[in-house]
Amino acid sequence: MSPKGLPKRQRLIGAWLLLSGISLLGGALFAVWLESQLAIAGSYRALLWLGCFSGGVTLFCMGLLFERMLFTPLRQLQAQLARLVANPEAENTSPPQGWLKGLGPDLRRVEDSWRTDRRRLQKAHADGARSATRIRRELEALLQVLEVPLLLYDKHRRLMLFNQAAEQFFSGTPSLGLGKRLEALFPLASLQQPLSKLPADGTHRELLIPCDNRWLKVIIRRVPESHDETLITCSDATAAWSNERGVRAELAQMLTPLRQHTASLVTATDALGKLRQHDYESGSLGHRLEQVAREESIALSEAVARIGELIETVQQQGERLTSIWSNDFWHTLDDHLDPAHRLITPIGMPVWFKGDAPALMALFSSLVKHLSHYMAGSLFEGEASLGHKHVYLDLIWKGKPIPERELAVWRHQPLTTLPLSPIVADVLRQHASDVWSIQDADDQHARLRLPLPFAEQFDAPRTVTPRPEFHDFGIADLPSPDTALANCPLRSLELVIFDTETTGLELRKGDSVISIGACRIVNARLLASDVFDEYVNPHKPISPASTAIHGITDKDVADAPALKPVLKSFREYIGDAVLLAHNAAFDMLAISQKGVTFDMPILDTLLISRALDEALDGHDLDSLVKRYCLNLPSGMRHTALGDARVTAELWLALLPRLEARGITSLEQLLSFQANAFDREDASAS
């Protein structure tokens, strides 16, 4: 390794002792030779030997003097400057010594001035950001109590914000986390087309997508006047569909025979009245029976009518029936049918109606396929018109109407793109509706008419001006994911910092992993709650010496999974991030060659520290924590997750020192740390 500054202490001491030894040995040999040539004795002989040894003794004493008075103080000064850059608030308790002692007041003045300037800047920043901080806290509090899962993605589909409801909704999913990509959480194939077609004015789109053995109703919209940020809310539609296919559907089906029985009772009562007038005009008992039957039939008829109204209200106010602007519906349906061509042209005045957008999309998609036999061309018109209590949604084509027998067949067609594959009739019943086909007055066009619940809205959708502080997140300013990773600035890297605990240190002789802990840094910020912490069952005893260090016993890992499934989960947790560890060679040896590939770049704070301060000793984690005065909670060391967090804090302390040397990209850092690689670090026996 080529020296970049002050040589290492061991090298200086070795060179000093070597030169001193050579001088003393040379002086002794020279003295022996002179004594044999001059044959002197007495005091002259002592002076001869003293003169021959004077060079070596002088060299030894000068080396000792320089080491104590210059080189040791220089190393102390280097460590103090490194601490000051990495942690400006750390107190330097040891002033310069030796010949550098006179620099003590100047160094203290520099430290005090630096801290004063930093405090002024921090105060100015705090004063300027106080209002934004207050609003941000209010927003965070609001998001935490909001029961709707909410996710905000930037233009590169990286997660910038999610609330507690989203964390609970996707619990157990390692793909949810700041900076992670949208496709890690949702199937991208279901969202790719709608995302590319989202209007910029904030108009929403409703989708039904399969995700982890359940169907999600997803509402997506572009945040207006933003950097193409996308807001996503979602809900589990599986239970709602099961409900509508279950008790609610059965209740609606029972209403029809109940109405029939009521009508039969009314008819029978009328017949009884007529019969009494002919044969039992004097019979008071028949008259009373007829009156009771008529009253009960009227009451029953009114009750059935009321039940019907309530069922219709329940269906119209169902959790999946939302207000839809007709023009938005036609445009979305057009994009869904054929994004490359315009098949449906909206006509007439647009109106609001209530419906389940994904279900209606599936219904009309099925209808268009069924219409291929009844139309002369391939183009449609879409019209929405107001009725007395409903909005009539009409799909118009040039040709003949669909016969009723064909509609009857179509009503029983399954809609396989919806949860539980309901038939068309189920969707119609969900909307308390039916369909029929009629011929237009010009005898050239026909239409299929679908009455839908009326929505009490009249004005067209308005564009909502967003409050800028609601989406002022640094993640959106990071480089595009398409940027070459080697050229990414260090502060923009997504880092997963990890550590392992093992049964022992002899990995090549059978010791294995018993714990993996990791945390994440996004946008140069350590995420407190985004962690990975798993025990591993090594299927072998843990040595007492190892337990004394990390505290993990055989009982702790008895019920833990094996290493391979834990490594698969860990690889999924990493995603597209760069790995970082302290003495990464050991940890990578512990997890490699286990059937899971870790092919991302690896950073090592041990090598980085060694490359930064080649002349200093002590690059282990404890020494570096002490050197940079990192304030850590007690009990944090010697657990996998704890050491990972310590390493993360160390990385944030080293980052400004790297930037001061012009090392700002991943490629530069990998080259820089390679200069400090020592194969002994990775031996692991």
Side-chain angles (χ1 to χ4, degrees), residues 149-226:
L150 182 146
L151 308 131
L152 183 65
Y153 286 88
D154 71 353
K155 64 180 179 181
H156 300 299
R157 300 197 294 270
R158 295 175 299 206
L159 183 59
M160 298 192 301
L161 178 147
F162 64 95
N163 62 349
Q164 189 173 5
E167 187 176 20
Q168 295 174 353
F169 189 78
F170 294 102
S171 61
T173 304
S175 302
L176 180 70
L178 291 180
K180 293 190 177 182
R181 302 292 296 276
L182 180 144
E183 51 264 35
L185 195 61
F186 299 102
L188 186 59
S190 302
L191 291 174
Q192 185 74 43
Q193 181 62 31
L195 284 173
S196 64
K197 295 285 186 177
L198 270 183
D201 61 0
T203 303
H204 71 274
R205 295 286 184 264
E206 296 183 24
L207 305 169
L208 268 176
I209 60 175
C211 183
D212 294 335
N213 300 319
R214 58 180 176 173
W215 283 85
L216 304 184
K217 179 181 180 180
V218 177
I219 299 177
I220 59 176
R221 70 183 75 215
R222 192 79 70 204
V223 179
E225 299 183 17
S226 68

Coordinates of all heavy atoms in Angstrom, one line a residue, residues 149-226:
P149 N -55.0 2.6 3.9 CA -53.6 2.4 3.5 C -53.2 3.4 2.4 O -53.9 3.5 1.3 CB -53.5 1.0 3.0 CG -54.7 0.3 3.6 CD -55.8 1.3 3.7
L150 N -52.2 4.2 2.6 CA -51.8 5.2 1.6 C -50.3 5.1 1.3 O -49.5 4.9 2.2 CB -52.1 6.6 2.3 CG -51.8 7.8 1.4 CD1 -52.9 8.9 1.7 CD2 -50.4 8.4 1.7
L151 N -50.0 5.2 0.0 CA -48.6 5.1 -0.4 C -48.3 6.2 -1.4 O -49.2 6.4 -2.3 CB -48.3 3.7 -1.1 CG -48.7 2.5 -0.2 CD1 -49.5 1.5 -1.1 CD2 -47.5 1.8 0.3
L152 N -47.2 6.8 -1.4 CA -46.8 7.9 -2.3 C -45.5 7.5 -3.0 O -44.5 7.3 -2.3 CB -46.6 9.2 -1.6 CG -46.3 10.4 -2.4 CD1 -47.5 10.7 -3.4 CD2 -46.0 11.7 -1.6
Y153 N -45.5 7.4 -4.3 CA -44.3 7.0 -5.1 C -43.9 8.2 -5.9 O -44.7 9.0 -6.4 CB -44.7 5.9 -6.0 CG -44.8 4.5 -5.2 CD1 -46.0 4.1 -4.7 CD2 -43.7 3.7 -5.1 CE1 -46.1 2.9 -4.0 CE2 -43.8 2.5 -4.4 CZ -45.0 2.1 -3.9 OH -45.1 0.9 -3.2
D154 N -42.5 8.3 -6.1 CA -42.0 9.3 -7.0 C -42.1 8.9 -8.5 O -42.6 7.8 -8.8 CB -40.6 9.7 -6.6 CG -39.6 8.6 -6.9 OD1 -40.0 7.5 -7.4 OD2 -38.4 8.8 -6.8
K155 N -41.5 9.7 -9.4 CA -41.7 9.4 -10.8 C -40.9 8.1 -11.2 O -41.2 7.5 -12.3 CB -41.2 10.6 -11.6 CG -39.7 10.9 -11.5 CD -39.3 12.1 -12.3 CE -37.9 12.4 -12.2 NZ -37.5 13.6 -13.0
H156 N -40.0 7.7 -10.4 CA -39.3 6.4 -10.7 C -39.8 5.3 -9.9 O -39.2 4.2 -9.8 CB -37.8 6.6 -10.3 CG -37.1 7.7 -11.1 ND1 -37.0 7.7 -12.4 CD2 -36.5 8.9 -10.6 CE1 -36.4 8.8 -12.8 NE2 -36.1 9.5 -11.8
R157 N -41.0 5.4 -9.4 CA -41.8 4.4 -8.7 C -41.0 3.9 -7.4 O -41.0 2.7 -7.1 CB -42.1 3.2 -9.6 CG -42.9 3.5 -10.8 CD -43.5 2.3 -11.4 NE -42.5 1.4 -12.0 CZ -42.0 1.5 -13.2 NH1 -42.5 2.4 -14.1 NH2 -41.1 0.6 -13.7
R158 N -40.4 4.9 -6.7 CA -39.8 4.6 -5.4 C -40.7 5.2 -4.3 O -41.2 6.3 -4.4 CB -38.4 5.2 -5.3 CG -37.4 4.6 -6.3 CD -36.1 5.4 -6.2 NE -36.2 6.8 -6.6 CZ -35.2 7.5 -7.1 NH1 -34.1 6.9 -7.4 NH2 -35.4 8.7 -7.4
L159 N -40.9 4.4 -3.2 CA -41.8 4.8 -2.2 C -41.2 5.9 -1.3 O -40.1 5.8 -0.8 CB -42.1 3.5 -1.3 CG -43.1 3.7 -0.2 CD1 -44.5 4.2 -0.7 CD2 -43.3 2.5 0.7
M160 N -42.0 7.0 -1.2 CA -41.5 8.2 -0.5 C -42.3 8.3 0.8 O -41.7 8.9 1.8 CB -41.7 9.4 -1.3 CG -40.9 9.5 -2.6 SD -41.0 11.2 -3.2 CE -42.7 11.4 -3.5
L161 N -43.5 7.8 0.9 CA -44.3 7.9 2.1 C -45.3 6.8 2.2 O -45.9 6.4 1.2 CB -45.0 9.3 2.1 CG -46.0 9.7 3.2 CD1 -46.0 11.2 3.4 CD2 -47.4 9.2 2.9
F162 N -45.5 6.3 3.4 CA -46.6 5.4 3.7 C -47.0 5.6 5.1 O -46.2 6.0 6.0 CB -46.2 3.9 3.4 CG -45.1 3.4 4.3 CD1 -45.4 2.7 5.4 CD2 -43.7 3.6 4.0 CE1 -44.3 2.2 6.2 CE2 -42.7 3.1 4.8 CZ -43.0 2.4 5.9
N163 N -48.3 5.2 5.4 CA -48.8 5.5 6.8 C -48.9 4.2 7.5 O -48.6 3.1 7.0 CB -50.1 6.2 6.7 CG -51.2 5.4 6.0 OD1 -50.9 4.4 5.4 ND2 -52.4 5.8 6.1
Q164 N -49.3 4.2 8.8 CA -49.4 3.1 9.6 C -50.4 2.1 9.1 O -50.2 0.9 9.2 CB -49.7 3.5 11.1 CG -49.6 2.4 12.1 CD -49.8 2.9 13.5 OE1 -50.1 4.0 13.7 NE2 -49.6 2.0 14.5
A165 N -51.5 2.6 8.5 CA -52.5 1.7 8.0 C -51.9 0.8 6.8 O -52.2 -0.4 6.7 CB -53.7 2.5 7.5
A166 N -51.0 1.4 6.0 CA -50.4 0.7 5.0 C -49.4 -0.4 5.5 O -49.3 -1.5 5.0 CB -49.6 1.6 4.0
E167 N -48.7 0.0 6.6 CA -47.8 -0.9 7.2 C -48.5 -2.1 7.8 O -48.1 -3.3 7.7 CB -47.0 -0.2 8.4 CG -45.9 -1.0 9.0 CD -45.1 -0.3 10.0 OE1 -45.6 0.8 10.5 OE2 -44.0 -0.7 10.3
Q168 N -49.7 -1.9 8.4 CA -50.5 -3.0 8.9 C -51.1 -3.8 7.7 O -51.2 -5.1 7.8 CB -51.6 -2.5 9.8 CG -51.0 -1.8 11.1 CD -52.1 -1.2 11.9 OE1 -53.3 -1.1 11.5 NE2 -51.8 -0.7 13.1
F169 N -51.5 -3.1 6.7 CA -52.2 -3.8 5.6 C -51.2 -4.8 4.9 O -51.6 -5.8 4.4 CB -52.7 -2.7 4.6 CG -53.5 -3.3 3.5 CD1 -54.9 -3.6 3.7 CD2 -53.0 -3.5 2.2 CE1 -55.7 -4.1 2.7 CE2 -53.8 -4.0 1.2 CZ -55.2 -4.3 1.4
F170 N -49.9 -4.3 4.8 CA -48.9 -5.2 4.1 C -48.0 -5.8 5.2 O -46.8 -6.0 4.9 CB -48.1 -4.4 3.1 CG -48.9 -3.9 2.0 CD1 -49.4 -2.6 1.9 CD2 -49.2 -4.7 0.9 CE1 -50.1 -2.1 0.8 CE2 -50.0 -4.3 -0.2 CZ -50.4 -3.0 -0.2
S171 N -48.5 -6.1 6.4 CA -47.6 -6.6 7.4 C -47.0 -8.0 7.0 O -47.7 -8.8 6.3 CB -48.4 -6.8 8.7 OG -49.5 -7.7 8.5
G172 N -45.8 -8.2 7.3 CA -45.1 -9.4 6.9 C -44.5 -9.3 5.5 O -43.9 -10.3 5.1
T173 N -44.7 -8.2 4.8 CA -44.1 -8.1 3.5 C -42.8 -7.3 3.5 O -42.9 -6.1 3.8 CB -45.2 -7.4 2.6 OG1 -46.4 -8.1 2.6 CG2 -44.6 -7.3 1.2
P174 N -41.7 -7.9 3.3 CA -40.4 -7.1 3.3 C -40.3 -6.1 2.2 O -39.3 -5.3 2.1 CB -39.4 -8.2 3.2 CG -40.0 -9.3 2.5 CD -41.5 -9.3 2.9
S175 N -41.2 -6.1 1.2 CA -41.1 -5.2 0.1 C -41.7 -3.8 0.3 O -41.7 -3.0 -0.6 CB -41.9 -5.8 -1.1 OG -41.4 -7.1 -1.4
L176 N -42.2 -3.6 1.6 CA -42.7 -2.3 1.9 C -41.6 -1.5 2.7 O -41.2 -2.0 3.8 CB -43.9 -2.4 2.7 CG -44.6 -1.0 3.2 CD1 -45.1 -0.3 2.0 CD2 -45.6 -1.3 4.2
G177 N -41.1 -0.4 2.2 CA -40.1 0.4 2.9 C -39.7 1.6 2.0 O -39.9 1.6 0.8
L178 N -39.3 2.6 2.7 CA -38.9 3.8 2.0 C -37.8 3.5 1.0 O -36.8 2.9 1.3 CB -38.4 4.9 3.0 CG -39.5 5.5 3.9 CD1 -38.9 6.5 4.8 CD2 -40.6 6.1 3.1
G179 N -38.0 4.1 -0.2 CA -37.0 3.9 -1.3 C -37.2 2.6 -2.1 O -36.6 2.5 -3.2
K180 N -38.1 1.7 -1.7 CA -38.3 0.5 -2.4 C -39.2 0.7 -3.6 O -40.1 1.6 -3.5 CB -38.8 -0.6 -1.5 CG -37.8 -1.1 -0.4 CD -38.3 -2.3 0.3 CE -37.2 -2.7 1.3 NZ -37.6 -4.0 2.0
R181 N -39.1 -0.1 -4.6 CA -39.8 0.1 -5.8 C -41.2 -0.5 -5.7 O -41.5 -1.4 -5.0 CB -39.1 -0.6 -7.0 CG -37.7 -0.2 -7.2 CD -37.6 1.2 -7.7 NE -38.2 1.4 -9.0 CZ -37.6 1.2 -10.2 NH1 -36.3 0.8 -10.2 NH2 -38.2 1.3 -11.3
L182 N -42.1 0.2 -6.5 CA -43.5 -0.2 -6.6 C -43.7 -1.6 -7.0 O -44.6 -2.4 -6.5 CB -44.3 0.8 -7.5 CG -45.8 0.5 -7.6 CD1 -46.5 1.9 -7.8 CD2 -46.1 -0.3 -8.9
E183 N -42.9 -2.1 -8.0 CA -43.1 -3.4 -8.5 C -42.7 -4.5 -7.5 O -43.1 -5.7 -7.7 CB -42.3 -3.6 -9.8 CG -40.9 -3.3 -9.7 CD -40.7 -1.8 -10.2 OE1 -41.5 -1.0 -10.0 OE2 -39.6 -1.6 -10.8
A184 N -42.0 -4.1 -6.4 CA -41.7 -5.1 -5.4 C -43.0 -5.4 -4.5 O -43.0 -6.4 -3.8 CB -40.6 -4.6 -4.5
L185 N -43.9 -4.5 -4.5 CA -45.1 -4.7 -3.7 C -46.4 -5.1 -4.5 O -47.2 -5.9 -4.0 CB -45.4 -3.3 -3.0 CG -46.4 -3.3 -1.8 CD1 -45.9 -4.2 -0.7 CD2 -46.7 -1.9 -1.3
F186 N -46.5 -4.6 -5.7 CA -47.6 -4.9 -6.6 C -47.1 -5.6 -7.8 O -46.0 -5.3 -8.3 CB -48.4 -3.6 -6.9 CG -49.0 -2.9 -5.8 CD1 -48.4 -1.7 -5.3 CD2 -50.2 -3.3 -5.2 CE1 -49.0 -1.0 -4.2 CE2 -50.7 -2.6 -4.1 CZ -50.1 -1.5 -3.7
P187 N -47.9 -6.4 -8.5 CA -47.6 -6.9 -9.8 C -47.6 -5.8 -10.8 O -48.6 -5.2 -11.1 CB -48.6 -8.0 -10.1 CG -49.8 -7.6 -9.2 CD -49.2 -7.0 -8.0
L188 N -46.4 -5.5 -11.4 CA -46.2 -4.4 -12.3 C -47.1 -4.5 -13.5 O -47.6 -3.5 -14.1 CB -44.8 -4.2 -12.6 CG -44.4 -2.9 -13.4 CD1 -44.8 -1.7 -12.7 CD2 -43.0 -2.9 -13.8
A189 N -47.3 -5.7 -14.0 CA -48.1 -5.9 -15.2 C -49.5 -5.4 -15.0 O -50.1 -4.9 -16.0 CB -48.1 -7.4 -15.5
S190 N -50.0 -5.4 -13.8 CA -51.4 -4.9 -13.6 C -51.5 -3.4 -13.5 O -52.5 -2.8 -13.7 CB -52.0 -5.5 -12.3 OG -51.9 -6.9 -12.3
L191 N -50.3 -2.7 -13.3 CA -50.3 -1.3 -13.1 C -49.6 -0.5 -14.2 O -49.7 0.7 -14.2 CB -49.7 -0.9 -11.7 CG -50.4 -1.3 -10.5 CD1 -49.6 -1.1 -9.2 CD2 -51.7 -0.6 -10.4
Q192 N -48.8 -1.2 -15.0 CA -48.0 -0.5 -16.0 C -48.8 0.4 -16.9 O -48.5 1.5 -17.1 CB -47.2 -1.6 -16.8 CG -46.2 -1.0 -17.8 CD -45.0 -0.5 -17.1 OE1 -44.4 -1.1 -16.2 NE2 -44.5 0.7 -17.5
Q193 N -49.9 -0.2 -17.5 CA -50.7 0.6 -18.4 C -51.4 1.7 -17.8 O -51.4 2.8 -18.2 CB -51.6 -0.4 -19.2 CG -52.5 0.3 -20.2 CD -51.7 0.9 -21.3 OE1 -50.7 0.4 -21.7 NE2 -52.2 2.0 -21.9
P194 N -52.1 1.4 -16.6 CA -52.8 2.6 -16.0 C -51.9 3.7 -15.5 O -52.2 4.9 -15.6 CB -53.5 1.9 -14.8 CG -53.7 0.5 -15.2 CD -52.5 0.2 -16.0
L195 N -50.7 3.3 -15.1 CA -49.7 4.4 -14.6 C -49.3 5.2 -15.8 O -49.1 6.4 -15.6 CB -48.5 3.7 -14.0 CG -48.7 3.2 -12.5 CD1 -47.5 2.4 -12.1 CD2 -49.0 4.3 -11.6
S196 N -49.1 4.6 -16.9 CA -48.6 5.4 -18.1 C -49.7 6.3 -18.6 O -49.4 7.3 -19.3 CB -48.1 4.4 -19.2 OG -49.2 3.6 -19.7
K197 N -51.0 6.0 -18.3 CA -52.1 6.8 -18.9 C -52.7 7.7 -17.8 O -53.8 8.3 -18.1 CB -53.2 5.8 -19.4 CG -52.7 5.0 -20.6 CD -52.7 5.8 -21.9 CE -52.4 5.0 -23.1 NZ -52.4 5.8 -24.3
L198 N -52.1 7.8 -16.7 CA -52.8 8.6 -15.6 C -52.8 10.1 -16.0 O -51.8 10.7 -16.4 CB -52.0 8.5 -14.3 CG -52.4 7.4 -13.3 CD1 -51.5 7.5 -12.1 CD2 -53.8 7.5 -13.0
P199 N -54.0 10.8 -15.9 CA -54.0 12.2 -16.2 C -53.3 13.0 -15.2 O -53.2 12.6 -14.0 CB -55.6 12.5 -16.1 CG -56.2 11.2 -16.2 CD -55.3 10.2 -15.6
A200 N -52.7 14.1 -15.6 CA -51.9 15.0 -14.7 C -52.8 15.8 -13.8 O -52.3 16.5 -12.9 CB -51.0 15.9 -15.6
D201 N -54.1 15.9 -14.0 CA -55.0 16.7 -13.2 C -55.5 16.1 -11.9 O -56.3 16.7 -11.2 CB -56.2 17.2 -14.0 CG -57.1 16.0 -14.5 OD1 -56.7 14.9 -14.1 OD2 -58.1 16.3 -15.2
G202 N -55.0 14.9 -11.6 CA -55.3 14.3 -10.3 C -56.6 13.3 -10.4 O -57.0 12.8 -9.4
T203 N -57.1 13.1 -11.6 CA -58.2 12.2 -11.8 C -57.8 10.8 -11.4 O -56.7 10.4 -11.9 CB -58.8 12.3 -13.3 OG1 -59.1 13.6 -13.6 CG2 -60.0 11.4 -13.4
H204 N -58.6 10.1 -10.7 CA -58.2 8.8 -10.2 C -58.6 7.7 -11.1 O -59.5 7.9 -12.0 CB -58.8 8.6 -8.8 CG -60.3 8.3 -8.8 ND1 -61.2 9.4 -8.7 CD2 -61.0 7.2 -8.8 CE1 -62.4 8.9 -8.8 NE2 -62.3 7.5 -8.8
R205 N -58.0 6.6 -11.0 CA -58.3 5.3 -11.7 C -58.5 4.2 -10.7 O -57.7 4.1 -9.7 CB -57.2 5.0 -12.7 CG -57.1 6.0 -13.8 CD -58.3 5.8 -14.8 NE -58.1 6.7 -16.0 CZ -58.7 7.9 -16.1 NH1 -59.4 8.4 -15.0 NH2 -58.5 8.6 -17.1
E206 N -59.5 3.4 -10.8 CA -59.8 2.3 -9.9 C -59.4 1.0 -10.6 O -59.8 0.8 -11.8 CB -61.2 2.3 -9.5 CG -61.6 3.5 -8.6 CD -63.1 3.3 -8.2 OE1 -63.6 2.2 -8.1 OE2 -63.7 4.4 -7.9
L207 N -58.7 0.1 -9.9 CA -58.2 -1.1 -10.5 C -58.5 -2.2 -9.5 O -58.5 -2.0 -8.2 CB -56.8 -1.1 -10.8 CG -56.3 0.0 -11.7 CD1 -54.7 0.1 -11.7 CD2 -56.8 -0.2 -13.1
L208 N -58.7 -3.4 -10.0 CA -58.7 -4.6 -9.1 C -57.5 -5.5 -9.6 O -57.3 -5.9 -10.7 CB -59.9 -5.4 -9.4 CG -61.1 -5.1 -8.4 CD1 -62.3 -6.0 -8.9 CD2 -60.8 -5.5 -7.0
I209 N -56.6 -5.8 -8.6 CA -55.4 -6.5 -9.0 C -55.2 -7.6 -8.0 O -55.5 -7.5 -6.8 CB -54.1 -5.6 -9.0 CG1 -53.9 -5.0 -7.7 CG2 -54.3 -4.6 -10.1 CD1 -52.6 -4.2 -7.6
P210 N -54.7 -8.8 -8.4 CA -54.4 -9.9 -7.5 C -53.1 -9.6 -6.8 O -52.1 -9.2 -7.4 CB -54.3 -11.1 -8.4 CG -53.9 -10.6 -9.7 CD -54.5 -9.2 -9.8
C211 N -53.0 -9.9 -5.5 CA -51.8 -9.7 -4.8 C -51.8 -10.6 -3.5 O -52.6 -10.5 -2.6 CB -51.7 -8.2 -4.3 SG -50.1 -7.8 -3.5
D212 N -50.8 -11.6 -3.5 CA -50.7 -12.4 -2.3 C -52.0 -13.1 -1.9 O -52.4 -13.0 -0.8 CB -50.1 -11.7 -1.1 CG -48.7 -11.2 -1.4 OD1 -48.0 -11.8 -2.3 OD2 -48.3 -10.2 -0.8
N213 N -52.6 -13.8 -2.8 CA -53.8 -14.6 -2.6 C -55.0 -13.8 -2.1 O -55.9 -14.3 -1.5 CB -53.5 -15.7 -1.5 CG -52.4 -16.6 -1.9 OD1 -52.3 -17.1 -3.0 ND2 -51.5 -17.0 -0.9
R214 N -55.0 -12.5 -2.5 CA -56.2 -11.7 -2.3 C -56.3 -10.7 -3.4 O -55.3 -10.4 -4.1 CB -56.1 -11.0 -0.9 CG -54.8 -10.1 -0.7 CD -54.8 -9.4 0.6 NE -53.6 -8.7 0.8 CZ -53.4 -7.9 1.9 NH1 -54.4 -7.7 2.8 NH2 -52.3 -7.2 2.0
W215 N -57.5 -10.2 -3.5 CA -57.8 -9.2 -4.6 C -57.8 -7.8 -3.9 O -58.5 -7.6 -2.9 CB -59.1 -9.4 -5.2 CG -59.0 -10.5 -6.2 CD1 -59.1 -11.9 -6.0 CD2 -58.8 -10.4 -7.6 NE1 -59.0 -12.6 -7.1 CE2 -58.8 -11.7 -8.2 CE3 -58.6 -9.3 -8.5 CZ2 -58.6 -12.0 -9.5 CZ3 -58.4 -9.6 -9.8 CH2 -58.4 -10.9 -10.3
L216 N -57.0 -6.9 -4.4 CA -57.0 -5.5 -3.9 C -57.7 -4.5 -4.8 O -57.5 -4.6 -6.0 CB -55.5 -5.1 -3.7 CG -54.6 -6.0 -2.9 CD1 -53.2 -5.3 -2.7 CD2 -55.2 -6.2 -1.5
K217 N -58.5 -3.7 -4.2 CA -59.0 -2.6 -5.0 C -58.0 -1.4 -4.8 O -57.8 -0.9 -3.7 CB -60.4 -2.2 -4.4 CG -61.0 -1.0 -5.2 CD -62.3 -0.6 -4.6 CE -62.9 0.6 -5.4 NZ -64.2 1.0 -4.9
V218 N -57.4 -1.0 -5.9 CA -56.4 0.0 -5.9 C -56.9 1.3 -6.6 O -57.4 1.2 -7.7 CB -55.1 -0.5 -6.5 CG1 -54.0 0.6 -6.6 CG2 -54.6 -1.7 -5.8
I219 N -56.7 2.4 -5.9 CA -57.1 3.7 -6.5 C -55.8 4.5 -6.7 O -55.0 4.7 -5.7 CB -58.1 4.5 -5.6 CG1 -59.4 3.7 -5.5 CG2 -58.3 5.9 -6.3 CD1 -60.4 4.4 -4.6
I220 N -55.5 4.8 -7.9 CA -54.2 5.6 -8.2 C -54.6 6.9 -8.8 O -55.5 7.0 -9.6 CB -53.3 4.7 -9.2 CG1 -54.0 4.4 -10.5 CG2 -52.9 3.5 -8.5 CD1 -53.1 3.7 -11.5
R221 N -53.7 7.9 -8.5 CA -53.9 9.2 -9.1 C -52.6 9.9 -9.2 O -51.7 9.7 -8.3 CB -55.0 10.0 -8.4 CG -54.5 10.5 -7.0 CD -55.7 11.2 -6.3 NE -56.7 10.3 -5.9 CZ -58.0 10.6 -5.8 NH1 -58.4 11.7 -6.3 NH2 -58.9 9.7 -5.4
R222 N -52.4 10.8 -10.2 CA -51.2 11.6 -10.2 C -51.4 12.8 -9.3 O -52.4 13.4 -9.3 CB -50.9 12.0 -11.7 CG -49.6 12.6 -11.9 CD -48.5 11.6 -12.0 NE -48.6 10.8 -13.3 CZ -48.2 9.6 -13.4 NH1 -47.5 9.0 -12.4 NH2 -48.3 9.0 -14.6
V223 N -50.4 13.1 -8.5 CA -50.4 14.3 -7.7 C -50.3 15.5 -8.6 O -49.2 15.7 -9.3 CB -49.3 14.3 -6.6 CG1 -49.4 15.6 -5.8 CG2 -49.5 13.1 -5.7
P224 N -51.3 16.4 -8.7 CA -51.2 17.6 -9.6 C -50.0 18.5 -9.2 O -49.6 18.6 -8.1 CB -52.5 18.3 -9.4 CG -53.4 17.3 -8.8 CD -52.5 16.4 -8.0
E225 N -49.4 19.1 -10.3 CA -48.3 20.0 -10.2 C -47.2 19.5 -9.3 O -46.5 20.2 -8.6 CB -48.9 21.3 -9.5 CG -49.9 22.0 -10.4 CD -50.4 23.3 -9.8 OE1 -49.7 23.9 -8.9 OE2 -51.5 23.8 -10.2
S226 N -46.9 18.2 -9.5 CA -45.8 17.6 -8.8 C -44.8 17.1 -9.8 O -45.0 17.3 -11.0 CB -46.2 16.5 -7.9 OG -46.7 15.4 -8.7

